[in-house]
Amino acid sequence: MKKKTALTKMHIAPSTVCYDAVAARDSNEVGLILAAVRKKNGYSLVAFSKLLYNYGVDVSDKGISKWEKGYTTPSIYQLVAICHALNIKEGPSYFTKAFQKPALLNDIGQKKLPSTKWT
């Protein structure tokens, strides 16, 4: 018989945590970013609903509107399908305010740029 091992919580200093799920939910990060990306790609709610259907997500335009307004959220499977539909290679983490696009320049090139945050 195998010996049972107790699982212990890992304690992480609050200053090292870079994501707060409660704050993200309260500020509707996912919904706001989803709405912006959908609009940037030129999809109406109805067109986006039809696009998602091709990826196995059967959601109405009203359902997408609820996601975007923060009344509900897509499941992780739906969010992955959204990433595929919108060609978001970074995955679900793209839908957070903390997400930063990968640098296109190496460290030397980055140092030559003025200290401006790119969006």
mmCIF file of all heavy atoms in Angstrom, residues 32-81:
data_model
loop_
_atom_site.group_PDB
_atom_site.id
_atom_site.type_symbol
_atom_site.label_atom_id
_atom_site.label_comp_id
_atom_site.label_asym_id
_atom_site.label_seq_id
_atom_site.Cartn_x
_atom_site.Cartn_y
_atom_site.Cartn_z
ATOM 1 N N LEU A 32 -14.395 43.079 -22.130
ATOM 2 C CA LEU A 32 -13.984 44.308 -22.802
ATOM 3 C C LEU A 32 -12.958 44.035 -23.903
ATOM 4 O O LEU A 32 -13.037 44.600 -24.997
ATOM 5 C CB LEU A 32 -13.425 45.307 -21.788
ATOM 6 C CG LEU A 32 -14.440 45.832 -20.765
ATOM 7 C CD1 LEU A 32 -13.744 46.678 -19.703
ATOM 8 C CD2 LEU A 32 -15.535 46.629 -21.455
ATOM 9 N N ILE A 33 -12.018 43.153 -23.618
ATOM 10 C CA ILE A 33 -11.003 42.824 -24.615
ATOM 11 C C ILE A 33 -11.635 42.041 -25.763
ATOM 12 O O ILE A 33 -11.344 42.300 -26.938
ATOM 13 C CB ILE A 33 -9.827 42.065 -23.966
ATOM 14 C CG1 ILE A 33 -9.098 42.993 -22.983
ATOM 15 C CG2 ILE A 33 -8.875 41.519 -25.022
ATOM 16 C CD1 ILE A 33 -8.089 42.314 -22.089
ATOM 17 N N LEU A 34 -12.533 41.115 -25.439
ATOM 18 C CA LEU A 34 -13.227 40.354 -26.478
ATOM 19 C C LEU A 34 -13.999 41.289 -27.409
ATOM 20 O O LEU A 34 -13.917 41.174 -28.635
ATOM 21 C CB LEU A 34 -14.178 39.331 -25.851
ATOM 22 C CG LEU A 34 -15.054 38.545 -26.824
ATOM 23 C CD1 LEU A 34 -14.215 37.788 -27.839
ATOM 24 C CD2 LEU A 34 -15.967 37.605 -26.058
ATOM 25 N N ALA A 35 -14.735 42.231 -26.853
ATOM 26 C CA ALA A 35 -15.508 43.180 -27.670
ATOM 27 C C ALA A 35 -14.585 43.982 -28.581
ATOM 28 O O ALA A 35 -14.877 44.162 -29.772
ATOM 29 C CB ALA A 35 -16.318 44.109 -26.773
ATOM 30 N N ALA A 36 -13.475 44.446 -28.040
ATOM 31 C CA ALA A 36 -12.538 45.255 -28.834
ATOM 32 C C ALA A 36 -11.941 44.447 -29.983
ATOM 33 O O ALA A 36 -11.854 44.931 -31.115
ATOM 34 C CB ALA A 36 -11.435 45.807 -27.929
ATOM 35 N N VAL A 37 -11.539 43.216 -29.697
ATOM 36 C CA VAL A 37 -10.924 42.374 -30.736
ATOM 37 C C VAL A 37 -11.951 41.980 -31.788
ATOM 38 O O VAL A 37 -11.664 41.993 -32.984
ATOM 39 C CB VAL A 37 -10.265 41.122 -30.106
ATOM 40 C CG1 VAL A 37 -9.750 40.179 -31.180
ATOM 41 C CG2 VAL A 37 -9.138 41.525 -29.181
ATOM 42 N N ARG A 38 -13.153 41.651 -31.349
ATOM 43 C CA ARG A 38 -14.220 41.293 -32.301
ATOM 44 C C ARG A 38 -14.478 42.459 -33.249
ATOM 45 O O ARG A 38 -14.521 42.293 -34.468
ATOM 46 C CB ARG A 38 -15.505 40.927 -31.555
ATOM 47 C CG ARG A 38 -16.697 40.670 -32.499
ATOM 48 C CD ARG A 38 -17.975 40.438 -31.749
ATOM 49 N NE ARG A 38 -18.405 41.531 -30.893
ATOM 50 C CZ ARG A 38 -19.023 42.640 -31.314
ATOM 51 N NH1 ARG A 38 -19.276 42.834 -32.588
ATOM 52 N NH2 ARG A 38 -19.395 43.576 -30.450
ATOM 53 N N LYS A 39 -14.624 43.654 -32.698
ATOM 54 C CA LYS A 39 -14.897 44.840 -33.520
ATOM 55 C C LYS A 39 -13.712 45.177 -34.431
ATOM 56 O O LYS A 39 -13.905 45.542 -35.595
ATOM 57 C CB LYS A 39 -15.246 46.027 -32.626
ATOM 58 C CG LYS A 39 -16.586 45.866 -31.928
ATOM 59 C CD LYS A 39 -16.824 46.965 -30.915
ATOM 60 C CE LYS A 39 -18.101 46.711 -30.117
ATOM 61 N NZ LYS A 39 -18.272 47.706 -29.052
ATOM 62 N N LYS A 40 -12.504 45.052 -33.895
ATOM 63 C CA LYS A 40 -11.296 45.323 -34.689
ATOM 64 C C LYS A 40 -11.235 44.404 -35.905
ATOM 65 O O LYS A 40 -10.770 44.803 -36.963
ATOM 66 C CB LYS A 40 -10.051 45.135 -33.819
ATOM 67 C CG LYS A 40 -8.754 45.396 -34.532
ATOM 68 C CD LYS A 40 -7.580 45.178 -33.614
ATOM 69 C CE LYS A 40 -6.262 45.346 -34.356
ATOM 70 N NZ LYS A 40 -5.107 45.040 -33.529
ATOM 71 N N ASN A 41 -11.715 43.177 -35.756
ATOM 72 C CA ASN A 41 -11.724 42.215 -36.855
ATOM 73 C C ASN A 41 -12.946 42.362 -37.757
ATOM 74 O O ASN A 41 -13.101 41.618 -38.713
ATOM 75 C CB ASN A 41 -11.633 40.788 -36.307
ATOM 76 C CG ASN A 41 -10.226 40.430 -35.906
ATOM 77 O OD1 ASN A 41 -9.427 40.033 -36.738
ATOM 78 N ND2 ASN A 41 -9.911 40.590 -34.632
ATOM 79 N N GLY A 42 -13.818 43.309 -37.435
ATOM 80 C CA GLY A 42 -14.947 43.619 -38.295
ATOM 81 C C GLY A 42 -16.140 42.683 -38.199
ATOM 82 O O GLY A 42 -16.960 42.637 -39.111
ATOM 83 N N TYR A 43 -16.263 41.946 -37.089
ATOM 84 C CA TYR A 43 -17.388 41.024 -36.924
ATOM 85 C C TYR A 43 -18.519 41.672 -36.136
ATOM 86 O O TYR A 43 -18.292 42.224 -35.055
ATOM 87 C CB TYR A 43 -16.955 39.756 -36.173
ATOM 88 C CG TYR A 43 -16.003 38.888 -36.943
ATOM 89 C CD1 TYR A 43 -14.681 38.753 -36.530
ATOM 90 C CD2 TYR A 43 -16.417 38.182 -38.069
ATOM 91 C CE1 TYR A 43 -13.790 37.955 -37.224
ATOM 92 C CE2 TYR A 43 -15.533 37.383 -38.767
ATOM 93 C CZ TYR A 43 -14.222 37.275 -38.341
ATOM 94 O OH TYR A 43 -13.342 36.475 -39.035
ATOM 95 N N SER A 44 -19.730 41.565 -36.667
ATOM 96 C CA SER A 44 -20.907 41.928 -35.875
ATOM 97 C C SER A 44 -21.132 40.799 -34.880
ATOM 98 O O SER A 44 -20.508 39.723 -34.990
ATOM 99 C CB SER A 44 -22.135 42.066 -36.784
ATOM 100 O OG SER A 44 -22.490 40.793 -37.308
ATOM 101 N N LEU A 45 -22.017 41.000 -33.927
ATOM 102 C CA LEU A 45 -22.330 39.928 -32.971
ATOM 103 C C LEU A 45 -22.874 38.699 -33.697
ATOM 104 O O LEU A 45 -22.494 37.572 -33.388
ATOM 105 C CB LEU A 45 -23.323 40.419 -31.922
ATOM 106 C CG LEU A 45 -22.772 41.420 -30.912
ATOM 107 C CD1 LEU A 45 -23.901 42.038 -30.098
ATOM 108 C CD2 LEU A 45 -21.762 40.760 -29.993
ATOM 109 N N VAL A 46 -23.748 38.921 -34.679
ATOM 110 C CA VAL A 46 -24.338 37.805 -35.431
ATOM 111 C C VAL A 46 -23.270 37.072 -36.239
ATOM 112 O O VAL A 46 -23.199 35.834 -36.219
ATOM 113 C CB VAL A 46 -25.479 38.307 -36.347
ATOM 114 C CG1 VAL A 46 -25.970 37.214 -37.274
ATOM 115 C CG2 VAL A 46 -26.628 38.862 -35.515
ATOM 116 N N ALA A 47 -22.426 37.812 -36.938
ATOM 117 C CA ALA A 47 -21.363 37.193 -37.743
ATOM 118 C C ALA A 47 -20.386 36.427 -36.863
ATOM 119 O O ALA A 47 -19.930 35.330 -37.217
ATOM 120 C CB ALA A 47 -20.632 38.252 -38.556
ATOM 121 N N PHE A 48 -20.064 36.982 -35.697
ATOM 122 C CA PHE A 48 -19.135 36.305 -34.788
ATOM 123 C C PHE A 48 -19.766 35.032 -34.228
ATOM 124 O O PHE A 48 -19.092 34.014 -34.083
ATOM 125 C CB PHE A 48 -18.707 37.249 -33.666
ATOM 126 C CG PHE A 48 -17.538 36.751 -32.871
ATOM 127 C CD1 PHE A 48 -16.367 36.360 -33.492
ATOM 128 C CD2 PHE A 48 -17.595 36.678 -31.496
ATOM 129 C CE1 PHE A 48 -15.279 35.894 -32.763
ATOM 130 C CE2 PHE A 48 -16.525 36.228 -30.752
ATOM 131 C CZ PHE A 48 -15.356 35.832 -31.392
ATOM 132 N N SER A 49 -21.051 35.072 -33.964
ATOM 133 C CA SER A 49 -21.770 33.878 -33.509
ATOM 134 C C SER A 49 -21.674 32.769 -34.561
ATOM 135 O O SER A 49 -21.410 31.608 -34.232
ATOM 136 C CB SER A 49 -23.232 34.226 -33.230
ATOM 137 O OG SER A 49 -23.976 33.069 -32.969
ATOM 138 N N LYS A 50 -21.868 33.132 -35.819
ATOM 139 C CA LYS A 50 -21.775 32.151 -36.908
ATOM 140 C C LYS A 50 -20.352 31.626 -37.055
ATOM 141 O O LYS A 50 -20.144 30.438 -37.305
ATOM 142 C CB LYS A 50 -22.257 32.778 -38.219
ATOM 143 C CG LYS A 50 -23.746 33.029 -38.234
ATOM 144 C CD LYS A 50 -24.189 33.704 -39.517
ATOM 145 C CE LYS A 50 -25.687 33.989 -39.477
ATOM 146 N NZ LYS A 50 -26.134 34.713 -40.682
ATOM 147 N N LEU A 51 -19.357 32.493 -36.902
ATOM 148 C CA LEU A 51 -17.967 32.068 -36.969
ATOM 149 C C LEU A 51 -17.653 31.066 -35.862
ATOM 150 O O LEU A 51 -17.045 30.015 -36.108
ATOM 151 C CB LEU A 51 -17.035 33.282 -36.863
ATOM 152 C CG LEU A 51 -15.537 32.983 -36.816
ATOM 153 C CD1 LEU A 51 -15.065 32.343 -38.115
ATOM 154 C CD2 LEU A 51 -14.749 34.255 -36.527
ATOM 155 N N LEU A 52 -18.075 31.375 -34.637
ATOM 156 C CA LEU A 52 -17.794 30.485 -33.512
ATOM 157 C C LEU A 52 -18.462 29.126 -33.680
ATOM 158 O O LEU A 52 -17.934 28.103 -33.225
ATOM 159 C CB LEU A 52 -18.226 31.135 -32.195
ATOM 160 C CG LEU A 52 -17.359 32.298 -31.719
ATOM 161 C CD1 LEU A 52 -17.916 32.882 -30.439
ATOM 162 C CD2 LEU A 52 -15.917 31.864 -31.531
ATOM 163 N N TYR A 53 -19.608 29.095 -34.344
ATOM 164 C CA TYR A 53 -20.311 27.822 -34.583
ATOM 165 C C TYR A 53 -19.408 26.858 -35.355
ATOM 166 O O TYR A 53 -19.421 25.662 -35.111
ATOM 167 C CB TYR A 53 -21.617 28.078 -35.334
ATOM 168 C CG TYR A 53 -22.452 26.826 -35.472
ATOM 169 C CD1 TYR A 53 -23.223 26.375 -34.410
ATOM 170 C CD2 TYR A 53 -22.451 26.102 -36.658
ATOM 171 C CE1 TYR A 53 -23.982 25.228 -34.515
ATOM 172 C CE2 TYR A 53 -23.202 24.943 -36.772
ATOM 173 C CZ TYR A 53 -23.969 24.506 -35.707
ATOM 174 O OH TYR A 53 -24.705 23.358 -35.810
ATOM 175 N N ASN A 54 -18.592 27.404 -36.260
ATOM 176 C CA ASN A 54 -17.654 26.574 -37.028
ATOM 177 C C ASN A 54 -16.564 25.966 -36.147
ATOM 178 O O ASN A 54 -15.900 25.017 -36.560
ATOM 179 C CB ASN A 54 -17.009 27.385 -38.154
ATOM 180 C CG ASN A 54 -18.017 27.833 -39.175
ATOM 181 O OD1 ASN A 54 -18.941 27.110 -39.515
ATOM 182 N ND2 ASN A 54 -17.856 29.049 -39.664
ATOM 183 N N TYR A 55 -16.379 26.514 -34.972
ATOM 184 C CA TYR A 55 -15.372 26.011 -34.024
ATOM 185 C C TYR A 55 -16.013 25.220 -32.884
ATOM 186 O O TYR A 55 -15.384 24.970 -31.854
ATOM 187 C CB TYR A 55 -14.541 27.177 -33.467
ATOM 188 C CG TYR A 55 -13.626 27.775 -34.504
ATOM 189 C CD1 TYR A 55 -14.071 28.784 -35.349
ATOM 190 C CD2 TYR A 55 -12.327 27.312 -34.660
ATOM 191 C CE1 TYR A 55 -13.242 29.328 -36.316
ATOM 192 C CE2 TYR A 55 -11.487 27.846 -35.621
ATOM 193 C CZ TYR A 55 -11.959 28.845 -36.446
ATOM 194 O OH TYR A 55 -11.121 29.373 -37.405
ATOM 195 N N GLY A 56 -17.270 24.863 -33.048
ATOM 196 C CA GLY A 56 -17.953 24.041 -32.052
ATOM 197 C C GLY A 56 -18.580 24.806 -30.910
ATOM 198 O O GLY A 56 -18.954 24.223 -29.895
ATOM 199 N N VAL A 57 -18.695 26.118 -31.034
ATOM 200 C CA VAL A 57 -19.293 26.938 -29.984
ATOM 201 C C VAL A 57 -20.657 27.426 -30.487
ATOM 202 O O VAL A 57 -20.727 28.240 -31.402
ATOM 203 C CB VAL A 57 -18.402 28.148 -29.618
ATOM 204 C CG1 VAL A 57 -19.086 29.025 -28.578
ATOM 205 C CG2 VAL A 57 -17.048 27.669 -29.114
ATOM 206 N N ASP A 58 -21.709 26.888 -29.898
ATOM 207 C CA ASP A 58 -23.065 27.250 -30.291
ATOM 208 C C ASP A 58 -23.570 28.314 -29.321
ATOM 209 O O ASP A 58 -24.153 28.007 -28.281
ATOM 210 C CB ASP A 58 -23.962 26.014 -30.272
ATOM 211 C CG ASP A 58 -25.321 26.267 -30.894
ATOM 212 O OD1 ASP A 58 -25.515 27.345 -31.485
ATOM 213 O OD2 ASP A 58 -26.193 25.381 -30.785
ATOM 214 N N VAL A 59 -23.303 29.567 -29.654
ATOM 215 C CA VAL A 59 -23.698 30.692 -28.800
ATOM 216 C C VAL A 59 -24.375 31.736 -29.681
ATOM 217 O O VAL A 59 -23.937 31.995 -30.809
ATOM 218 C CB VAL A 59 -22.478 31.294 -28.047
ATOM 219 C CG1 VAL A 59 -21.444 31.835 -29.005
ATOM 220 C CG2 VAL A 59 -22.901 32.339 -27.049
ATOM 221 N N SER A 60 -25.427 32.318 -29.175
ATOM 222 C CA SER A 60 -26.162 33.333 -29.933
ATOM 223 C C SER A 60 -25.452 34.681 -29.836
ATOM 224 O O SER A 60 -24.543 34.874 -29.006
ATOM 225 C CB SER A 60 -27.585 33.478 -29.386
ATOM 226 O OG SER A 60 -27.544 34.050 -28.090
ATOM 227 N N ASP A 61 -25.895 35.603 -30.662
ATOM 228 C CA ASP A 61 -25.356 36.965 -30.583
ATOM 229 C C ASP A 61 -25.643 37.566 -29.210
ATOM 230 O O ASP A 61 -24.833 38.305 -28.663
ATOM 231 C CB ASP A 61 -25.919 37.838 -31.702
ATOM 232 C CG ASP A 61 -27.444 37.881 -31.728
ATOM 233 O OD1 ASP A 61 -28.091 36.837 -31.540
ATOM 234 O OD2 ASP A 61 -27.984 38.978 -31.948
ATOM 235 N N LYS A 62 -26.787 37.218 -28.635
ATOM 236 C CA LYS A 62 -27.123 37.715 -27.289
ATOM 237 C C LYS A 62 -26.189 37.131 -26.235
ATOM 238 O O LYS A 62 -25.825 37.802 -25.272
ATOM 239 C CB LYS A 62 -28.581 37.401 -26.970
ATOM 240 C CG LYS A 62 -29.567 38.205 -27.805
ATOM 241 C CD LYS A 62 -30.992 37.763 -27.552
ATOM 242 C CE LYS A 62 -31.976 38.509 -28.410
ATOM 243 N NZ LYS A 62 -31.777 38.347 -29.849
ATOM 244 N N GLY A 63 -25.794 35.876 -26.421
ATOM 245 C CA GLY A 63 -24.837 35.243 -25.509
ATOM 246 C C GLY A 63 -23.482 35.922 -25.553
ATOM 247 O O GLY A 63 -22.850 36.156 -24.519
ATOM 248 N N ILE A 64 -23.034 36.256 -26.756
ATOM 249 C CA ILE A 64 -21.756 36.964 -26.902
ATOM 250 C C ILE A 64 -21.858 38.345 -26.256
ATOM 251 O O ILE A 64 -20.931 38.792 -25.578
ATOM 252 C CB ILE A 64 -21.360 37.075 -28.387
ATOM 253 C CG1 ILE A 64 -21.108 35.682 -28.960
ATOM 254 C CG2 ILE A 64 -20.128 37.959 -28.558
ATOM 255 C CD1 ILE A 64 -20.964 35.640 -30.466
ATOM 256 N N SER A 65 -22.981 39.003 -26.437
ATOM 257 C CA SER A 65 -23.191 40.310 -25.821
ATOM 258 C C SER A 65 -23.102 40.200 -24.297
ATOM 259 O O SER A 65 -22.519 41.076 -23.641
ATOM 260 C CB SER A 65 -24.553 40.875 -26.229
ATOM 261 O OG SER A 65 -24.787 42.110 -25.606
ATOM 262 N N LYS A 66 -23.639 39.130 -23.738
ATOM 263 C CA LYS A 66 -23.556 38.923 -22.278
ATOM 264 C C LYS A 66 -22.113 38.731 -21.849
ATOM 265 O O LYS A 66 -21.709 39.217 -20.781
ATOM 266 C CB LYS A 66 -24.408 37.728 -21.856
ATOM 267 C CG LYS A 66 -25.894 38.007 -21.905
ATOM 268 C CD LYS A 66 -26.682 36.795 -21.472
ATOM 269 C CE LYS A 66 -28.175 37.064 -21.575
ATOM 270 N NZ LYS A 66 -28.964 35.876 -21.154
ATOM 271 N N TRP A 67 -21.311 38.031 -22.651
ATOM 272 C CA TRP A 67 -19.888 37.881 -22.341
ATOM 273 C C TRP A 67 -19.229 39.252 -22.325
ATOM 274 O O TRP A 67 -18.478 39.574 -21.408
ATOM 275 C CB TRP A 67 -19.175 37.032 -23.389
ATOM 276 C CG TRP A 67 -19.507 35.583 -23.439
ATOM 277 C CD1 TRP A 67 -20.151 34.834 -22.492
ATOM 278 C CD2 TRP A 67 -19.195 34.695 -24.515
ATOM 279 N NE1 TRP A 67 -20.263 33.537 -22.917
ATOM 280 C CE2 TRP A 67 -19.684 33.427 -24.147
ATOM 281 C CE3 TRP A 67 -18.573 34.846 -25.742
ATOM 282 C CZ2 TRP A 67 -19.538 32.309 -24.971
ATOM 283 C CZ3 TRP A 67 -18.427 33.743 -26.554
ATOM 284 C CH2 TRP A 67 -18.899 32.484 -26.180
ATOM 285 N N GLU A 68 -19.498 40.024 -23.369
ATOM 286 C CA GLU A 68 -18.832 41.313 -23.517
ATOM 287 C C GLU A 68 -19.235 42.318 -22.441
ATOM 288 O O GLU A 68 -18.445 43.174 -22.065
ATOM 289 C CB GLU A 68 -19.105 41.879 -24.913
ATOM 290 C CG GLU A 68 -18.435 41.055 -26.008
ATOM 291 C CD GLU A 68 -18.681 41.570 -27.408
ATOM 292 O OE1 GLU A 68 -19.429 42.568 -27.571
ATOM 293 O OE2 GLU A 68 -18.114 40.989 -28.347
ATOM 294 N N LYS A 69 -20.440 42.197 -21.931
ATOM 295 C CA LYS A 69 -20.909 43.098 -20.874
ATOM 296 C C LYS A 69 -20.557 42.593 -19.477
ATOM 297 O O LYS A 69 -20.763 43.291 -18.493
ATOM 298 C CB LYS A 69 -22.418 43.295 -20.991
ATOM 299 C CG LYS A 69 -22.807 44.072 -22.237
ATOM 300 C CD LYS A 69 -24.301 44.195 -22.361
ATOM 301 C CE LYS A 69 -24.654 44.977 -23.629
ATOM 302 N NZ LYS A 69 -26.101 45.033 -23.855
ATOM 303 N N GLY A 70 -20.033 41.380 -19.393
ATOM 304 C CA GLY A 70 -19.620 40.831 -18.112
ATOM 305 C C GLY A 70 -20.718 40.152 -17.326
ATOM 306 O O GLY A 70 -20.524 39.809 -16.162
ATOM 307 N N TYR A 71 -21.878 39.921 -17.935
ATOM 308 C CA TYR A 71 -22.962 39.225 -17.234
ATOM 309 C C TYR A 71 -22.650 37.742 -17.092
ATOM 310 O O TYR A 71 -23.038 37.106 -16.120
ATOM 311 C CB TYR A 71 -24.292 39.392 -17.959
ATOM 312 C CG TYR A 71 -24.742 40.831 -18.095
ATOM 313 C CD1 TYR A 71 -25.310 41.285 -19.271
ATOM 314 C CD2 TYR A 71 -24.584 41.750 -17.052
ATOM 315 C CE1 TYR A 71 -25.726 42.603 -19.409
ATOM 316 C CE2 TYR A 71 -24.982 43.068 -17.183
ATOM 317 C CZ TYR A 71 -25.560 43.484 -18.370
ATOM 318 O OH TYR A 71 -25.949 44.791 -18.506
ATOM 319 N N THR A 72 -21.976 37.188 -18.073
ATOM 320 C CA THR A 72 -21.511 35.801 -18.038
ATOM 321 C C THR A 72 -20.114 35.784 -18.639
ATOM 322 O O THR A 72 -19.642 36.800 -19.160
ATOM 323 C CB THR A 72 -22.426 34.851 -18.857
ATOM 324 O OG1 THR A 72 -22.420 35.276 -20.220
ATOM 325 C CG2 THR A 72 -23.850 34.843 -18.319
ATOM 326 N N THR A 73 -19.455 34.637 -18.588
ATOM 327 C CA THR A 73 -18.140 34.499 -19.199
ATOM 328 C C THR A 73 -18.094 33.222 -20.029
ATOM 329 O O THR A 73 -18.767 32.246 -19.705
ATOM 330 C CB THR A 73 -17.015 34.435 -18.143
ATOM 331 O OG1 THR A 73 -17.291 33.371 -17.240
ATOM 332 C CG2 THR A 73 -16.877 35.735 -17.404
ATOM 333 N N PRO A 74 -17.287 33.220 -21.077
ATOM 334 C CA PRO A 74 -17.136 31.988 -21.843
ATOM 335 C C PRO A 74 -16.382 30.953 -21.021
ATOM 336 O O PRO A 74 -15.548 31.305 -20.177
ATOM 337 C CB PRO A 74 -16.329 32.424 -23.066
ATOM 338 C CG PRO A 74 -15.680 33.707 -22.689
ATOM 339 C CD PRO A 74 -16.526 34.333 -21.631
ATOM 340 N N SER A 75 -16.689 29.683 -21.260
ATOM 341 C CA SER A 75 -15.923 28.623 -20.609
ATOM 342 C C SER A 75 -14.514 28.623 -21.194
ATOM 343 O O SER A 75 -14.253 29.262 -22.224
ATOM 344 C CB SER A 75 -16.574 27.258 -20.853
ATOM 345 O OG SER A 75 -16.373 26.849 -22.200
ATOM 346 N N ILE A 76 -13.621 27.899 -20.581
ATOM 347 C CA ILE A 76 -12.249 27.844 -21.097
ATOM 348 C C ILE A 76 -12.240 27.244 -22.492
ATOM 349 O O ILE A 76 -11.487 27.676 -23.363
ATOM 350 C CB ILE A 76 -11.290 27.101 -20.135
ATOM 351 C CG1 ILE A 76 -9.839 27.226 -20.602
ATOM 352 C CG2 ILE A 76 -11.698 25.660 -19.977
ATOM 353 C CD1 ILE A 76 -9.304 28.626 -20.625
ATOM 354 N N TYR A 77 -13.106 26.269 -22.758
ATOM 355 C CA TYR A 77 -13.166 25.667 -24.091
ATOM 356 C C TYR A 77 -13.669 26.671 -25.124
ATOM 357 O O TYR A 77 -13.170 26.727 -26.241
ATOM 358 C CB TYR A 77 -14.055 24.420 -24.072
ATOM 359 C CG TYR A 77 -13.533 23.380 -23.118
ATOM 360 C CD1 TYR A 77 -14.142 23.167 -21.891
ATOM 361 C CD2 TYR A 77 -12.390 22.645 -23.427
ATOM 362 C CE1 TYR A 77 -13.638 22.236 -21.000
ATOM 363 C CE2 TYR A 77 -11.873 21.722 -22.547
ATOM 364 C CZ TYR A 77 -12.498 21.511 -21.327
ATOM 365 O OH TYR A 77 -11.988 20.592 -20.459
ATOM 366 N N GLN A 78 -14.637 27.469 -24.737
ATOM 367 C CA GLN A 78 -15.139 28.510 -25.630
ATOM 368 C C GLN A 78 -14.075 29.578 -25.861
ATOM 369 O O GLN A 78 -13.911 30.074 -26.977
ATOM 370 C CB GLN A 78 -16.413 29.136 -25.047
ATOM 371 C CG GLN A 78 -17.588 28.182 -25.038
ATOM 372 C CD GLN A 78 -18.753 28.685 -24.203
ATOM 373 O OE1 GLN A 78 -18.565 29.332 -23.174
ATOM 374 N NE2 GLN A 78 -19.956 28.386 -24.650
ATOM 375 N N LEU A 79 -13.322 29.914 -24.819
ATOM 376 C CA LEU A 79 -12.281 30.924 -24.949
ATOM 377 C C LEU A 79 -11.160 30.443 -25.875
ATOM 378 O O LEU A 79 -10.634 31.214 -26.682
ATOM 379 C CB LEU A 79 -11.726 31.310 -23.575
ATOM 380 C CG LEU A 79 -10.954 32.607 -23.489
ATOM 381 C CD1 LEU A 79 -11.759 33.788 -24.012
ATOM 382 C CD2 LEU A 79 -10.520 32.871 -22.061
ATOM 383 N N VAL A 80 -10.827 29.166 -25.782
ATOM 384 C CA VAL A 80 -9.817 28.606 -26.692
ATOM 385 C C VAL A 80 -10.336 28.657 -28.131
ATOM 386 O O VAL A 80 -9.601 29.024 -29.054
ATOM 387 C CB VAL A 80 -9.433 27.167 -26.278
ATOM 388 C CG1 VAL A 80 -8.599 26.487 -27.347
ATOM 389 C CG2 VAL A 80 -8.683 27.184 -24.948
ATOM 390 N N ALA A 81 -11.608 28.320 -28.335
ATOM 391 C CA ALA A 81 -12.205 28.399 -29.671
ATOM 392 C C ALA A 81 -12.201 29.837 -30.181
ATOM 393 O O ALA A 81 -11.937 30.088 -31.365
ATOM 394 C CB ALA A 81 -13.629 27.845 -29.647
#
